[in-house]
Amino acid sequence: MQITKIGVVGAGTMGQGIAEMLAAKGIDVLLLEKSPERLEHAWRSIELSLAKQLEKWAITEAEKKLVWSKIHKTIAIEQLASCEMIIETVTEDLDTKKEIFEKLNAVCPDAIIASNTSTLSLTELAGETAHPERVIGLHFTYPAGKSPLVEIVRGLKTSEETYATVRNFVEQTIRRKGIMVYESPGFVTTRLICTLINEAMHTLSEGVASAEDIDTAMRVGYDFRYGPLEMADRFGLDSVLAAMERMFREYGDLKYRPSFMLKQMVRAGHLGVKSGTGFFHYDEDGDRL
């Protein structure tokens, strides 16, 4: 199957990054959100991202125009009927995703439906469709527009044909490194990075080192792009907490029990970049202050 048109359901941080990256590869993208206001906010965020890249000479004006021409906004799920693949990136809530999958099943009966979930069961989501063999996980790691890795996650009924098509798309069309993962809460990347983030919070709460020095230790000592605490800020502390709580429920292992500091931060509304304050402070563009 040749994939030339993709629907991206959910225009949050990940949806924006995925849509922009796909458009930069010459793929037509239908970006779906539930309200015009949320859609316009996403549009402005993509515009800001492209403007920053242009300012840094990372892209040309022609490349910027190409991306704009390839992304089409919509609030009507019915418009996704012409897409060969759908990538769902809505909030990490099982009931919300199941509702989306049920609607996509009715609108796009022949499309491959991929979820960007990091912890939820693809098999359970696939159960909302008539063709669970065409459901697969495409977990783009943050930041979706720049990270070269994609986890290709097989549910219980994902077919070989679907897997082969998606793997070819990931590696040949969008030029990302795909790794095959069998369904498991947290897969590989979320399972490992969340435990690192959680341990960094334990280290901070015990007064072993400052947040700045903990992050510097991992950035400089182990060549991380971001330290674990800034990484948590960029993921969204509420998202990290949700992932940790789900893995703790699924595995029952104490290493997945979320740090009390993480819970405190979320209760205080200090969610990281999205709120402007987390372990560090950020401006409206998401840059460190």
Side-chain angles (χ1 to χ4, degrees):
M1 178 194 293
Q2 185 69 22
I3 298 174
T4 58
K5 191 174 186 180
I6 294 178
V8 176
V9 180
T13 301
M14 291 301 289
Q16 293 162 24
I18 292 169
E20 183 184 326
M21 178 272 296
L22 293 173
K25 297 296 183 183
I27 297 165
D28 284 306
V29 179
L30 273 174
L31 183 61
L32 175 76
E33 251 299 348
K34 60 185 178 182
S35 71
E37 294 77 20
R38 291 171 70 98
L39 198 55
E40 285 306 315
H41 178 267
W43 197 247
R44 289 194 299 271
S45 296
I46 294 172
E47 183 178 27
L48 178 61
S49 170
L50 293 172
K52 281 184 173 182
Q53 293 175 63
L54 188 64
E55 188 178 301
K56 295 176 181 177
W57 294 8
I59 59 172
T60 64
E61 186 66 42
E63 287 170 329
K64 178 185 175 182
K65 289 179 179 177
L66 170 67
V67 173
W68 274 128
S69 70
K70 290 293 183 179
I71 301 177
H72 313 280
K73 300 177 291 182
T74 183
I75 57 171
I77 197 168
E78 294 77 16
Q79 291 191 17
L80 303 185
S82 59
C83 297
E84 296 98 3
M85 180 189 288
I86 310 296
I87 301 175
E88 169 275 312
T89 69
V90 302
T91 184
E92 196 75 347
D93 175 77
L94 184 61
D95 290 337
T96 302
K97 288 183 185 289
K98 287 172 76 170
E99 184 181 341
I100 292 291
F101 269 65
E102 186 178 4
K103 291 178 179 177
L104 289 173
N105 176 66
V107 173
C108 317
D110 300 320
I112 292 172
I113 304 178
S115 176
N116 188 52
T117 183
S118 58
T119 58
L120 298 175
S121 169
L122 286 164
T123 301
E124 191 166 356
L125 294 175
E128 300 298 315
T129 72
H131 297 284
E133 70 277 6
R134 290 205 290 265
V135 174
I136 197 166
L138 269 182
H139 182 225
F140 291 82
T141 52
Y142 179 87
K146 297 177 182 177
S147 175
L149 180 76
V150 181
E151 290 181 296
I152 306 171
V153 189
R154 301 183 67 147
L156 185 63
K157 295 186 178 180
T158 303
S159 69
E160 285 293 338
E161 180 183 2
T162 297
Y163 172 74
T165 299
V166 171
R167 178 127 201 174
N168 182 70
F169 169 77
V170 167
E171 298 195 334
Q172 301 302 318
T173 305
I174 63 173
R175 300 291 179 178
R176 294 305 197 257
K177 175 62 181 174
I179 62 167
M180 185 177 75
V181 181
Y182 289 100
E183 182 180 311
S184 176
F187 311 136
V188 174
T189 56
T190 301
R191 183 171 175 174
L192 296 183
I193 204 62
C194 279
T195 50
L196 173 64
I197 288 170
N198 207 43
E199 194 58 37
M201 292 179 195
H202 286 316
T203 304
L204 178 61
S205 64
E206 291 164 14
V208 175
S210 68
E212 187 67 53
D213 284 348
I214 289 169
D215 271 18
T216 298
M218 300 310 293
R219 279 191 303 101
V220 178
Y222 290 90
D223 202 24
F224 278 38
R225 180 177 181 181
Y226 301 117
L229 298 175
E230 182 173 349
M231 208 178 296
D233 281 350
R234 294 189 178 280
F235 292 162
L237 298 187
D238 52 341
S239 297
V240 175
L241 178 59
M244 292 298 302
E245 288 180 332
R246 180 164 292 277
M247 288 190 291
F248 185 39
R249 285 196 302 270
E250 293 285 342
Y251 291 116
D253 193 317
L254 288 177
K255 69 184 177 185
Y256 299 114
R257 184 170 64 187
S259 159
F260 181 65
M261 175 178 281
L262 175 59
K263 293 181 179 181
Q264 278 186 313
M265 299 276 283
V266 172
R267 288 167 184 159
H270 298 168
L271 307 180
V273 172
K274 66 175 74 175
S275 67
T277 301
F279 291 101
F280 306 101
H281 299 282
Y282 305 87
D283 63 19
E284 291 183 358
D285 297 338
D287 295 324
R288 282 272 298 269
L289 295 174

